Amino acid sequence: RRIIINVALLLAAIFAIMIMSARENRMRHIQQISAYIDVLSNRTAMHVSDVLQDREVAIDSIAYLYGDTLTSRDPDLPRLAELESCSSFDRIRFIDEQGMSYASNGETVDCSDREYFERGILGESGIYTSLKSRFDGQRLIGFYSPVRYEGEICGVLLGLLDQRSISNMLKTDLYGNSAVTMLITTDGCIIGHKGGIDTHYTGRPETLND
């Protein structure tokens, strides 16, 4: 009877040790995954930051070149299309002094109340995000810079990245699988994502499960 009891206690002890070992291995594995995700997140964030900074520099250069080739204060659509085709932007718009935005195909939309126009016409450059473009309803990231003709500001140039470019910029692989990544504005709205999120979602991230 003592032998049976001892064997039972031994088996119980072995079982308990196995459970504790499994828990420790699981926790260690979770910690390793968490550390890997932190590193991966930082790399993705740095990559996105580098891309955005590169586009800011690019739009300043393109705006300078565009203004340097103007023969009047009016929009030069053929030149706009040429710059659009060889730039790192998906599309480029010229906004005149009245706030009328011109696409390279001649389509126009009034954008006089847009922040990028109000700032750009005053000589500022920067980044602008839009949850709904007035041209096609897309969510976009825009980079704006003033255009000068004969030394005076005559409009604003806006370079845009569309949803496909934003998605490619956010692409991140986690153990061979595509991770869910999002680009969120300071007020909590998703401007771009890669994987796992409803493409029509435009609200705040805390309502994703609603």
Side-chain angles (χ1 to χ4, degrees), residues 67-86:
D68 196 47
T69 60
L70 289 176
T71 57
S72 71
R73 302 177 77 89
D74 298 325
D76 184 343
L77 298 186
R79 180 59 173 160
L80 193 65
E82 182 182 345
L83 291 172
E84 190 174 64
S85 66
C86 63

Side-chain angles (χ1 to χ4, degrees), residues 5 50 132-133 154 174-175 183:
I5 293 174
D50 288 343
K132 189 174 183 180
S133 166
C154 64
L174 181 62
Y175 292 109
L183 187 62

